[in-house]
């Protein structure tokens, strides 16, 4: 049984940093593309960052590029999202996902396995 578990969310002030972690069990992390998504109330789920199975390729949402960094440790089946210079508009539930991407790295339908999410709230 595949389990995807996110952690590290919380309440911070604008300009501060947070690091999210995602631990996967029940599959070999190194075999999959990994990504972080987020969803704010009343909005669609959007892709934030993607990392290839080797970690050699990354892609970012326009709004987070330069502030967020995705990384992975395949030996520990863990993926991270370092978030710097957080803004109130970054407030959302953040989800980790695993999949074998065919075309679009930041589209939810490309991913098969999802966690329950971790809440990030940024106050102004």
């Amino acid at each position: 049984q595949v389990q995807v578990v996110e952690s590290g969310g919380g309440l911070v002030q604008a300009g501060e940093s947070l690091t999210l972690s995602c631990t996967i069990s029940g599959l070999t992390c190194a075999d999959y593309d990994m990504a972080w998504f987020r969803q704010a109330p009343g909005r669609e789920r959007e892709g934030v960052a993607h990392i290839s199975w080797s970690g050699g390729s990354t892609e970012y949402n326009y709004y987070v590029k330069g502030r967020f960094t995705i990384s992975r440790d395949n030996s520990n089946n863990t993926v991270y999202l370092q978030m710097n210079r957080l803004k109130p508009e970054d407030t959302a539930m953040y989800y980790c996902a695993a999949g074998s991407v065919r075309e679009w790295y930041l589209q939810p339908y490309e991913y098969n396995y999802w966690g329950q999410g971790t809440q990030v709230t940024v106050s102004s």
Side-chain angles (χ1 to χ4, degrees):
Q1 182 180 355
V2 177
Q3 285 192 314
V4 181
V5 179
E6 304 95 338
S7 62
L11 172 63
V12 296
Q13 292 188 333
E16 295 184 338
S17 300
L18 273 177
T19 300
L20 305 183
S21 300
C22 169
T23 302
I24 306 101
S25 60
L27 57 78
T28 302
C29 182
D31 290 341
Y32 292 86
D33 294 280
M34 299 296 300
W36 287 93
F37 292 81
R38 67 186 181 186
Q39 189 167 18
R43 303 191 66 174
E44 292 188 356
R45 189 168 297 191
E46 65 171 354
V48 174
H50 158 270
I51 188 166
S52 62
W53 65 271
S54 68
S57 174
T58 56
E59 290 74 34
Y60 295 91
N61 177 315
Y62 170 84
Y63 298 102
V64 308
K65 195 169 186 177
R67 299 187 296 122
F68 291 11
T69 303
I70 189 170
S71 60
R72 66 191 298 164
D73 179 352
N74 287 338
S75 65
N76 288 313
N77 270 15
T78 302
V79 180
Y80 303 96
L81 185 68
Q82 172 69 42
M83 306 185 293
N84 297 327
R85 303 195 306 278
L86 282 160
K87 304 176 181 180
E89 50 264 43
D90 294 318
T91 295
M93 185 71 79
Y94 283 71
Y95 299 91
C96 178
S100 298
V101 174
R102 295 193 176 191
E103 186 174 15
W104 300 108
Y105 294 116
L106 296 180
Q107 288 294 334
Y109 63 75
E110 296 276 11
Y111 295 85
N112 306 103
Y113 305 104
W114 292 82
Q116 295 298 308
T118 185
Q119 177 68 38
V120 173
T121 303
V122 184
S123 63
S124 58

